[in-house]
Amino acid sequence: MLALLATLSSAALLARARGDEPPKADAPAADAQGDALPEGATARLGTLRWRAPDEVRCFALSHDGKVLALGCADRTVRFLDSQEGKHLRKTDRLGGAPVSISFSPDGKALVAACDDRSVRIVVVADGSSAREVPNLRDTVSQVSFSPAGNALALACADKSVHVHSYPDGKLLRKLEDAKDEPTSLAYSSSGETIVAGGKDHVARLWKSDGKLLRKLEGHAEAVSAVSVSPDGALVASGSEDGSVFLWKLADGKLLKKLEGHSDAVSQIVFARDGRFLATAGDRTVRVFRVSDSKLVLRLEGHVGRVTGVAFSNDGKTLYSSGTDQIVRVWDASDGKPQKTFDAHAGTVLAVAVSPDGKTLASGAHDTIRLWELPSGKPGHTLEGHSGPIHALAFSPDGKTLASGSEDRTARIFSLETGEGRKLSGTRERVLSLAFTPDGQTLAAGCSDGTVHLWESETGKEAKVIRAHDDRVLAVAFSSDFVLATGSKDRTIQLFAMRGGADAKSIKTIDAHKSAVTSLAFSPDGKTVLSGSRDRTVRMHGLDGKAIRALEGHEGEVAAVAFSRDGKTAATACADGKLRIFDAAAGTLTKELAGHAGAVSSLAFVGDGKLATGGADATVLLWSLP
């Protein structure tokens, strides 16, 4: 045996010397932050770090400060590393979207109250949903582990707080006194006191054995957030009226009213040393010094409602979450952002590629970003809109970019200077855009069923077409100057453009059973491709006759496109997949997945590459086989 091992070892050394070693497997491609790219993707513009693929409804930091949990509108809980923001794991889809989450003191479990009336216990190590708290008949709006980890407090719609033993879930007692349902919960650090804020504008202090200690009254609206200082001396309560009150726990005396938020306070936390108090509400985080109640920091940066806030264990860092799908990280001493990326906040609703293939534009909340291709290097940011960007279109000469927004405006930007001008005439949301092949006219589909036409060079409005009875979600021009419009009314309208903005209706196509979300013409102008919320993609001729369907979608279709040679069709779907079809045969040739959530937009980058925007706030570049 020894002789055999020696022979094998010698042979291995000889093979190594000759260079005959088996080749090592290639490492997965990675983005600029070192995170793996999905199969088929060549680059990620933006980052998955500190991001969620949907609104963050609730937020928690583990007691050891190492893990952030995000309760998301897509019915998942996602776990991030608190130092780098890297995605660790997620739960499978729960029965409903989480509305409140709480870590166990040992960090091994997380309790999640969901909007389907369920309360689930999640194993943090693998994200599995181990079990449900049994015998719940009412909606639970807030949950909290006791400091000892042996009990759960649940704010229930039956106007009481239920206290269950953990881990068996047995109901121990109900805390009943409120005139309306409780909306916020907190334990004192000793576990001896439970504070419950309610819709009746009152916060109640209970002994953990069920005895009512006192009521804290003074808010004008529901008490939406409560917290107890680490030493157990103070109670902080926040309301839907935007106010924050500080109370003395021992006797219920109101010590201070802290003003500042313009909307409901979603969460309140004390730093572990008790010196500072952070509040989340509207689009801001505010930090107060507890000793004199002075506002010391106002943190702005979220473009949606702030839903959660937490101090790091050492008090040097603040984390905040929001409906903009982002976790922001702040220096708690001066309020400066600690983690910044060239990335969008929220779903990338629109992508467009310049005619020369060297620039990609992407639009999300109220920002348009330009990226160099093929490197993916960030370029300019184009500003001016005050709402989500629904549509982008490059002019045929590549010198200008048009944008349409929720803010009811369309704009045209010079790519040379970055300056933009607002186009007059629109009174409703601008949902879709397209230039005529000669670039002289820009068409915009609006939420009132109209299509506005402007002279591109002057910005002068040339015509308004009453195209549909409902919002116009898609517009496209053929190479022969046929305008196609797709609507929530489930139809496609075809118009012949006869010089300038003169448009004549030539055909109505009853294309789908639900809203037509996207349109594209084949390069020869003879076929119109349409995607719909009814999960179908169809091809029609200009005579309105159906040619074929592209099948296999398991969600709403957000975008469709033809390759420049017309041989390939691509679709972006809410099921998170990009599908590639042989356009002539209608057969599926490739299915690609990589976004953490729905694929919301797409554009070809030449015939062999694609760009997709996703609900995860990123753009992926793909190389097609």
Side-chain angles (χ1 to χ4, degrees):
M1 177 62 75
L2 290 174
L4 177 60
L5 289 173
T7 301
L8 291 173
S9 178
S10 298
L13 288 170
L14 181 61
R16 204 172 282 127
R18 291 199 310 257
D20 294 339
E21 268 193 286
K24 294 181 179 179
D26 292 336
D31 65 15
Q33 281 72 50
D35 296 323
L37 292 171
E39 181 183 355
T42 60
R44 177 181 287 119
L45 313 185
T47 180
L48 294 176
R49 299 198 181 195
W50 309 106
R51 298 291 191 277
D54 210 328
E55 292 184 358
V56 180
R57 300 275 181 87
C58 48
F59 175 80
L61 178 66
S62 62
H63 290 263
D64 63 7
K66 295 180 179 180
V67 179
L68 291 163
L70 315 179
C72 299
D74 67 353
R75 296 186 293 156
T76 66
V77 177
R78 294 171 185 264
F79 298 95
L80 306 183
D81 169 73
S82 68
Q83 298 302 306
E84 299 297 331
K86 189 172 183 179
H87 181 268
L88 299 174
R89 65 194 69 90
K90 68 180 181 70
T91 64
D92 291 332
R93 286 187 182 273
L94 305 175
V99 295
S100 176
I101 55 178
S102 176
F103 276 101
S104 62
D106 62 9
K108 294 181 180 180
L110 178 134
V111 60
C114 300
D115 61 10
D116 66 341
R117 299 187 178 185
S118 69
V119 175
R120 297 171 184 266
I121 307 300
V122 173
V123 179
V124 174
D126 60 10
S128 62
S129 179
R131 60 191 179 280
E132 292 187 33
V133 176
N135 303 319
L136 293 176
R137 298 179 180 178
D138 295 285
T139 300
V140 176
S141 60
Q142 286 284 308
V143 293
S144 180
F145 264 104
S146 66
N150 60 355
L152 292 170
L154 314 178
C156 296
D158 65 357
K159 303 180 184 180
S160 70
V161 175
H162 294 203
V163 181
H164 294 253
S165 59
Y166 180 81
D168 60 19
K170 181 181 177 181
L171 178 63
L172 299 177
R173 66 190 62 88
K174 290 185 180 182
L175 312 181
E176 297 177 294
D177 177 74
K179 297 178 181 178
D180 208 334
E181 64 186 85
T183 51
S184 51
L185 277 177
Y187 272 95
S188 64
S189 58
S190 66
E192 296 178 358
T193 305
I194 299 173
V195 183
K199 281 188 175 180
D200 60 1
H201 312 176
V202 178
R204 290 171 172 81
L205 275 61
W206 303 84
K207 289 281 288 183
S208 58
D209 62 7
K211 179 183 177 181
L212 178 63
L213 296 174
R214 61 191 55 87
K215 301 178 185 180
L216 308 179
E217 300 180 82
H219 288 292
E221 295 185 31
V223 180
S224 50
V226 291
S227 184
V228 182
S229 62
D231 62 4
L234 302 174
V235 173
S237 60
S239 171
E240 289 186 359
D241 63 15
S243 65
V244 177
F245 292 175
L246 276 179
W247 314 79
K248 191 174 179 180
L249 187 146
D251 59 12
K253 180 182 179 181
L254 177 60
L255 301 175
K256 195 71 176 178
K257 295 182 180 181
L258 311 178
E259 306 293 341
H261 288 292
S262 61
D263 204 344
V265 179
S266 57
Q267 193 166 9
I268 300 175
V269 291
F270 283 91
R272 287 207 170 186
D273 62 8
R275 294 172 56 217
F276 295 96
L277 175 74
T279 63
D282 43 63
R283 295 187 177 190
T284 68
V285 173
R286 295 165 192 262
V287 181
F288 299 88
R289 188 166 50 226
V290 173
S291 61
D292 59 5
S293 304
K294 181 181 179 181
L295 176 66
V296 293
L297 291 175
R298 175 188 167 112
L299 309 180
E300 297 179 290
H302 285 282
V303 294
R305 183 171 59 87
V306 182
T307 55
V309 63
F311 279 100
S312 61
N313 286 3
D314 61 9
K316 295 180 179 180
T317 302
L318 269 168
Y319 304 96
S320 60
S321 65
T323 57
D324 59 5
Q325 306 172 217
I326 288 182
V327 175
R328 294 194 178 272
V329 187
W330 314 86
D331 187 316
S333 64
D334 59 15
K336 292 181 179 179
Q338 289 189 340
K339 306 288 183 181
T340 58
F341 297 98
D342 290 304
H344 282 294
T347 300
V348 179
L349 297 170
V351 293
V353 177
S354 61
D356 63 5
K358 294 181 179 181
T359 304
L360 181 140
S362 56
H365 267 280
D366 56 0
T367 303
I368 301 166
R369 291 184 177 272
L370 301 180
W371 312 81
E372 294 180 9
L373 295 178
S375 68
K377 181 180 177 182
H380 297 298
T381 297
L382 305 179
E383 298 179 345
H385 287 292
S386 59
I389 312 301
H390 287 294
L392 295 170
F394 280 96
S395 60
D397 62 8
K399 294 181 179 180
T400 59
L401 177 73
S403 58
S405 171
E406 186 81 8
D407 67 6
R408 304 184 179 190
T409 69
R411 294 177 181 269
I412 290 183
F413 293 88
S414 165
L415 295 181
E416 183 178 353
T417 65
E419 295 180 357
R421 69 178 189 271
K422 177 183 172 182
L423 302 178
S424 63
T426 55
R427 296 184 178 89
E428 298 297 333
R429 292 170 292 158
V430 180
L431 306 176
S432 49
L433 290 171
F435 280 97
T436 53
D438 61 6
Q440 293 184 12
T441 303
L442 174 67
C446 298
S447 59
D448 61 357
T450 62
V451 175
H452 289 249
L453 301 175
W454 293 277
E455 295 176 1
S456 303
E457 186 173 347
T458 65
K460 180 183 177 181
E461 187 173 56
K463 190 178 183 67
V464 179
I465 305 170
R466 170 58 66 177
H468 294 273
D469 295 328
D470 210 330
R471 63 193 67 172
V472 181
L473 301 172
V475 293
F477 281 103
S478 76
S479 54
D480 295 328
F481 289 77
V482 173
L483 170 64
T485 62
S487 172
K488 190 181 177 183
D489 68 10
R490 303 180 292 181
T491 68
I492 299 170
Q493 297 286 346
L494 300 181
F495 299 87
M497 301 290 293
R498 300 181 301 179
D502 188 11
K504 178 183 178 182
S505 177
I506 56 175
K507 194 69 182 178
T508 299
I509 303 174
D510 293 318
H512 293 276
K513 296 179 180 178
S514 188
V516 180
T517 57
S518 51
L519 293 170
F521 274 103
S522 59
D524 63 9
K526 296 180 180 179
T527 303
V528 61
L529 180 68
S530 59
S532 172
R533 289 179 183 162
D534 65 7
R535 302 187 175 193
T536 66
V537 175
R538 302 184 185 280
M539 290 184 181
H540 288 85
L542 299 188
D543 58 3
K545 291 183 179 179
I547 298 173
R548 64 181 59 86
L550 308 183
E551 299 178 343
H553 301 89
E554 298 175 5
E556 296 181 2
V557 179
V560 297
F562 274 107
S563 61
R564 292 182 184 180
D565 62 7
K567 295 180 180 179
T568 302
T571 64
C573 189
D575 63 11
K577 294 179 180 178
L578 165 66
R579 291 176 173 85
I580 311 300
F581 294 86
D582 181 304
T587 54
L588 179 67
T589 60
K590 191 73 174 179
E591 196 173 76
L592 299 168
H595 285 287
V599 187
S600 48
S601 49
L602 68 81
F604 272 93
V605 186
D607 287 327
K609 294 183 179 180
L610 267 170
T612 57
D616 58 8
T618 71
V619 175
L620 286 172
L621 302 181
W622 306 85
S623 181
L624 302 183

